[in-house]
Structure formats: structure tokens, C-alpha cells
């Protein structure tokens, strides 16, 4: 028997980027349930209003064990999960590297003050006033930021802890120009260029679309290096795909239509999924998913290792509906993750083995061309990167340059490898342009 709920959503934007618990839900779903958002007009029980469909014990232990074996190692330490990673905390955790200290808002405000131009209007602002303002600061913690390069700092300040305030105190008798040079040196040499989120155990499997630094469609690193192991999860995903088709046929069909536009080598087996996010023992902060197909649907399942440890806590919370779902091994949750805010309650105890699999279709995958074309783009970049005679080569160059896909070099490379430009561009059209 499936229970059907219709609930009006409430505003829960205040939860974004934060960890929430029992005070943000009134009920825990433990059995087969469908939730629909209350419609402003018309019928509530339509696919347009589906928030989730939850089903217990969909997958067999064998299917779960194979999925776990095929995907567990895909969940690796990541600092690229943004808002879902939650508040930054006092330090950026990083296994094997110790913690790394954040460049806090206080640090940044001091640096901005020191770097101000001579004609800046600063009124009564001073270093002391900035310090005083941050003593009583109660602003919600940020979820991303840059970190101090401790190894660089320690070259000049061997006693690392408290070095920043000692450095600032040493600036008082300097001219503004000298202070500005000092601040620029700190910013250029002591601060990471990368913007981090807190460290979590999460990774991707399957296939991924182009990215500015990686401008070609591709198998994820895990999938490329572990194809046989990755294939162990196929029976699990085939059943998930079939359940999706039966329970939400309109959304499945829309996703199937987009999947049919792709070279099938960018799909995971015979499913409508391109990509999996694999999380292990990760309590997500409240967020909305990004990057998945708007007309499709997300699919979340939980598995544990063959020892059957399972987990306690970690309920999936939808604060806009004040509902939590007790997702356990073998259960299936079809959910509108990109439209609704969601996060997890905390895991209880230390002996948990909770791996969640989020299966979806990445929206930008439809921009890809054939597998062979995308692989040629990859090969082209790798050859450029390794060519020390290339006009753009420099240490640590990744092979990418502005307008590279419009250059004659690329057109000649395609011709050399007997690949027809799928965009219909050619040298004659470029010659006519110039």
C-alpha cells in the first residue's frame, strides 16, 4: 500500500548551506510513500508536482553488494562540493595533509584595507576598527573560501599560529605604500589560488560533459581506470532505470528523449543515466542540486558493504515540506533534487557504512558530439600539452588556450585524423571571414 501525501511547500531558504536536524521535520517516512507539492491551480497529483516517490526493499542484497563493489572506491576525498559540504568550520580538513586554515573574512578585510588606493574613502576605518567589528561578528559561516599556504608562510614565520596578527602589528610604522606592498606580497605568495569547500568523501562515476579546463566529453577518471569494476553496478542501475520508467513515465520519457540524442557510449549501460555521484558517510548540508536534466529526475539509493554494517541516522530531509525519509540499504528514492532543498541529518555513532548513489542525466551532455570527436579533442589537448615547442607551452600548461577550437591548427588536426567537423566549420569559411 502506497501512502500519498500532498503538502504545501514553505520557505526554507535559511537552511541553505547549513546542517539541519529534527527541528526541521515533523515526520519520518518509513514505508512506500509518494509526496506531491500542493498546486496553485489544477490537479495536485501530476508528474509536474512530484516531489518524491519512495519505495522500500527494491534491490536484492546481491544487487546491492555488486553496486557497492563497483562504486565504493569512486567516493574519494573532495573539496569541490560547494554548498552541500556545509559551513567551512575553523579549518579545511584534508586527509594526509593535516588541516589547512581558511583565509577568513577578517583576514580579507584587513588585506583589502591595506591594499586600498590612495584616493579611497575610508572614513574612520582603521585596523583596530576592523578587528573590533569581527570580535562580535555573528554572520553565518561561508561554505567556500581560499586557504593559507602554510608551507610558504612558515618560510618567513616559523611560528605559524598567530602569524597574521603579528605581521599586521609590524605594519604600524610603515607608510601606506609600504603597507600596500606588504599586503600584495602576502596575497600573492601566501594565499591559495583555488577556492575550496570543506573536505567530504564524494566522487563521480560514469560520464561527464565539457568543462573550461577539460573541454571534451569523457569518462570520469574513476570509470576510465576501472571499467570492469564499474560494470558491476550495471544490474543495479538497470533495475533503477526500470523502476524510474514505471513510476514516473513522463519524466523518464523526457530523459530518454535527451539520452537518444547522445552517442550511446556516453550513457551508463542501457539506461537513461550519464552520471553517478557516489557519497560515503557524508552528511550533506542543505542545498539544491545543479547540472542535472531539468525535465528529468534524480534517483537516490543507499547501499552498505557485504558485511551488512548499515548505518544509523542520516535521514534525508526536505525542510520545505518538513519531511524526512529513512533511506536504508535496498531502498529507492526518486526525488526532485534540483527543485527542492535537501540535506541529511547526522549519522549516529562511528561504525557506519553508508554509501549513496545518485543517478542522473547531466543536462549539458547533449552539447557533446560523437565519442570519436570528443576523444580527438582530448588527444589534441594532450599532444599540445606535451609539446614543448608549442607557441603556448609553459610549465604546468594544461594544453588549453583561448579560441583554440577556431584556430587553423585544430582544423588541420581534424583533417589529419579524418574527422569531419560536426559544427560545419572549415578553412574556406574562415578564409572568407578574414
Amino acid at each position: 500500500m502506497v501512502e500519498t501525501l500532498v503538502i504545501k511547500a514553505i520557505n526554507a531558504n535559511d537552511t541553505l548551506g547549513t546542517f539541519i536536524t529534527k527541528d526541521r521535520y515533523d515526520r519520518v517516512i518509513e514505508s512506500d510513500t509518494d509526496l506531491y507539492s500542493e498546486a496553485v491551480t489544477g490537479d495536485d497529483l501530476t508528474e509536474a508536482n512530484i516531489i518524491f516517490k519512495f519505495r522500500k526493499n527494491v534491490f536484492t542484497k546481491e544487487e546491492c553488494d555488486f553496486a557497492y563493489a563497483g562504486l565504493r572506491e569512486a567516493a574519494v576525498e573532495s573539496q569541490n562540493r560547494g554548498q552541500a559540504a556545509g559551513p567551512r568550520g575553523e579549518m579545511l580538513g584534508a586527509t594526509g595533509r593535516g588541516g589547512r586554515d581558511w583565509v577568513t573574512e577578517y583576514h580579507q578585510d584587513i588585506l583589502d584595507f591595506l591594499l586600498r588606493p590612495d584616493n579611497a574613502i575610508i572614513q574612520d576605518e582603521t585596523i583596530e576598527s576592523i578587528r573590533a567589528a569581527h570580535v562580535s561578528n555573528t554572520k553565518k559561516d561561508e561554505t567556500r573560501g581560499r586557504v593559507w599556504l602554510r608551507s610558504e608562510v612558515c618560510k618567513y614565520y616559523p611560528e605559524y599560529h598567530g602569524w597574521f596578527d603579528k605581521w599586521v602589528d609590524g605594519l604600524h610604522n610603515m607608510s601606506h605604500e609600504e603597507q600596500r606592498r606588504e599586503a600584495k606580497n602576502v596575497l600573492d605568495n601566501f594565499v591559495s589560488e583555488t577556492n575550496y569547500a570543506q573536505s567530504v568523501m564524494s566522487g563521480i562515476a560514469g560520464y561527464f560533459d565539457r568543462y573550461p579546463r577539460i573541454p571534451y566529453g569523457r569518462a570520469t577518471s574513476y570509470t576510465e581506470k576501472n571499467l570492469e569494476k564499474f560494470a558491476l553496478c550495471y544490474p543495479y542501475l538497470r533495475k533503477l532505470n526500470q523502476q524510474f520508467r514505471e513510476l514516473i513515465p513522463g519524466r523518464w520519457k523526457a530523459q530518454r528523449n535527451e539520452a537518444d540524442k547522445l552517442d550511446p557510449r556516453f550513457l551508463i549501460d542501457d539506461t537513461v543515466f550519464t552520471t553517478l555521484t557516489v557519497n560515503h558517510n557524508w552528511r550533506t548540508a542543505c542545498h539544491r542540486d545543479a547540472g542535472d536534466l531539468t525535465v528529468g529526475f534524480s534517483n537516490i539509493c543507499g547501499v552498505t558493504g557485504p558485511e551488512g554494517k548499515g548505518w544509523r541516522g542520516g535521514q534525508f530531509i526536505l525542510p520545505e515540506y518538513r519531511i524526512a525519509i529513512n533511506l536504508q540499504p535496498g531502498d529507492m528514492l526518486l526525488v526532485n533534487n534540483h527543485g527542492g532543498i535537501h540535506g541529511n541529518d547526522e549519522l549516529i555513532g562511528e561504525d557506519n557504512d553508508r554509501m549513496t548513489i545518485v543517478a542522473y542525466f547531466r543536462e549539458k551532455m547533449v552539447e557533446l558530439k560523437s565519442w570519436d570527436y570528443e576523444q580527438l579533442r582530448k588527444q589534441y589537448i594532450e599532444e599540445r600539452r606535451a609539446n614543448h615547442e608549442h607557441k603556448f607551452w609553459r610549465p604546468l600548461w594544461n594544453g588549453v588556450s583561448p579560441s583554440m577550437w577556431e584556430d587553423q591548427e585544430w582544423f588541420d588536426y581534424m583533417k589529419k585524423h579524418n574527422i569531419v567537423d560536426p559544427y560545419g566549420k572549415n578553412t574556406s569559411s574562415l578564409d572568407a571571414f578574414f
Side-chain angles (χ1 to χ4, degrees):
M1 184 70 177
V2 177
E3 181 179 8
T4 300
L5 304 174
V6 179
I7 301 176
K8 184 177 181 180
I10 61 173
N11 189 315
N13 287 337
D14 63 304
T15 66
L16 289 169
T18 69
F19 294 116
I20 58 175
T21 186
K22 294 178 177 61
D23 63 327
R24 300 306 293 246
Y25 59 88
D26 302 316
R27 178 179 174 184
V28 179
I29 302 298
E30 304 270 7
S31 58
D32 293 359
T33 304
D34 294 344
L35 172 64
Y36 293 82
S37 182
E38 184 177 299
V40 177
T41 58
D43 187 4
D44 293 319
L45 306 183
T46 69
E47 290 195 8
N49 298 331
I50 291 175
I51 302 304
F52 69 73
K53 286 180 176 279
F54 176 61
R55 297 294 182 269
K56 293 288 295 179
N57 302 315
V58 169
F59 303 98
T60 66
K61 185 177 188 306
E62 183 181 42
E63 289 166 337
C64 290
D65 287 349
F66 274 111
Y68 187 94
L71 295 172
R72 172 61 187 86
E73 292 176 11
V76 296
E77 185 179 39
S78 172
Q79 293 155 355
N80 193 33
R81 291 310 310 272
Q83 194 173 67
R88 296 184 316 188
E90 294 183 1
M91 301 184 78
L92 171 63
T95 302
R97 296 191 296 270
R100 291 190 286 178
D101 293 306
W102 297 106
V103 176
T104 65
E105 186 178 12
Y106 160 66
H107 296 144
Q108 192 61 57
D109 284 351
I110 291 288
L111 290 170
D112 288 344
F113 173 76
L114 296 171
L115 288 165
R116 71 194 185 282
D118 290 328
N119 60 351
I121 300 174
I122 60 172
Q123 297 180 346
D124 296 326
E125 190 173 46
T126 63
I127 288 174
E128 287 70 25
S129 70
I130 294 172
R131 283 174 165 169
H134 282 275
V135 168
S136 58
N137 184 20
T138 59
K139 182 180 177 181
K140 185 169 74 172
D141 199 1
E142 298 291 335
T143 58
R144 294 196 68 91
R146 296 190 293 171
V147 297
W148 292 110
L149 301 174
R150 184 168 181 161
S151 61
E152 296 300 316
V153 172
C154 286
K155 290 177 182 178
Y156 300 89
Y157 299 92
E159 294 184 9
Y160 175 75
H161 294 289
W163 78 269
F164 185 82
D165 282 324
K166 293 176 184 176
W167 169 73
V168 172
D169 290 341
L171 302 177
H172 285 298
N173 294 325
M174 293 185 183
S175 67
H176 180 209
E177 181 57 35
E178 290 172 324
Q179 290 178 345
R180 189 157 49 205
R181 281 199 301 268
E182 283 282 323
K184 187 176 187 306
N185 178 64
V186 165
L187 197 61
D188 290 346
N189 297 300
F190 294 173
V191 178
S192 70
E193 293 184 5
T194 303
N195 197 287
Y196 294 100
Q198 189 55 277
S199 180
V200 298
M201 292 299 291
S202 179
I204 54 173
Y207 304 92
F208 217 76
D209 49 272
R210 299 172 190 164
Y211 185 74
R213 291 183 296 172
I214 311 175
Y216 48 83
R218 64 203 184 278
T220 67
S221 176
Y222 174 77
T223 302
E224 185 176 42
K225 296 174 182 177
N226 302 277
L227 271 175
E228 288 188 13
K229 182 180 287 187
F230 178 61
L232 293 174
C233 74
Y234 286 179
Y236 188 95
L237 295 176
R238 288 188 202 117
K239 179 179 280 189
L240 176 60
N241 180 70
Q242 185 59 34
Q243 289 286 313
F244 179 20
R245 183 177 187 173
E246 292 174 4
L247 290 172
I248 316 181
R251 293 288 189 111
W252 182 90
K253 179 62 175 174
Q255 196 157 314
R256 178 78 263 173
N257 290 341
E258 296 302 301
D260 288 342
K261 298 175 184 178
L262 280 182
D263 185 316
R265 287 173 284 186
F266 285 116
L267 295 171
I268 301 174
D269 195 41
D270 187 25
T271 72
V272 294
F273 310 126
T274 62
T275 315
L276 309 175
T277 296
V278 184
N279 306 317
H280 187 253
N281 286 350
W282 175 26
R283 179 194 185 187
T284 63
C286 284
H287 64 287
R288 295 185 180 95
D289 287 358
D292 55 325
L293 186 68
T294 304
V295 297
F297 226 65
S298 292
N299 303 263
I300 301 179
C301 307
V303 298
T304 194
E307 300 84 1
K309 282 185 179 180
W311 59 85
R312 293 190 300 145
Q315 289 85 357
F316 184 93
I317 306 172
L318 294 158
E320 292 166 302
Y321 299 93
R322 297 195 63 82
I323 288 284
I325 301 161
N326 185 21
L327 183 71
Q328 289 294 313
D331 297 346
M332 179 188 71
L333 176 63
L334 310 182
V335 61
N336 183 3
N337 266 356
H338 59 256
I341 298 172
H342 56 283
N344 294 102
D345 207 338
E346 62 184 332
L347 289 165
I348 300 170
E350 299 296 326
D351 194 27
N352 293 296
D353 185 10
R354 179 181 186 268
M355 188 181 88
T356 55
I357 305 165
V358 185
Y360 54 103
F361 185 102
R362 282 193 62 81
E363 194 151 45
K364 289 189 176 181
M365 293 292 285
V366 294
E367 298 175 6
L368 302 182
K369 301 304 179 183
S370 72
W371 177 269
D372 293 336
Y373 175 77
E374 298 297 329
Q375 287 295 296
L376 189 70
R377 286 171 70 111
K378 177 182 179 180
Q379 178 180 305
Y380 177 58
I381 288 170
E382 288 301 311
E383 289 184 11
R384 281 162 54 100
R385 183 182 63 80
N387 180 10
H388 289 208
E389 303 301 318
H390 196 281
K391 62 183 179 180
F392 290 125
W393 189 89
R394 60 189 181 277
L396 303 179
W397 184 46
N398 64 358
V400 177
S401 61
S403 305
M404 62 183 293
W405 309 113
E406 307 292 334
D407 288 348
Q408 186 65 44
E409 179 188 1
W410 169 236
F411 291 106
D412 291 343
Y413 192 84
M414 280 193 290
K415 183 177 180 181
K416 176 183 175 182
H417 291 84
N418 299 314
I419 292 287
V420 177
D421 183 9
Y423 295 100
K425 299 174 183 177
N426 53 58
T427 54
S428 60
S429 63
L430 288 176
D431 290 341
F433 179 80
F434 290 109

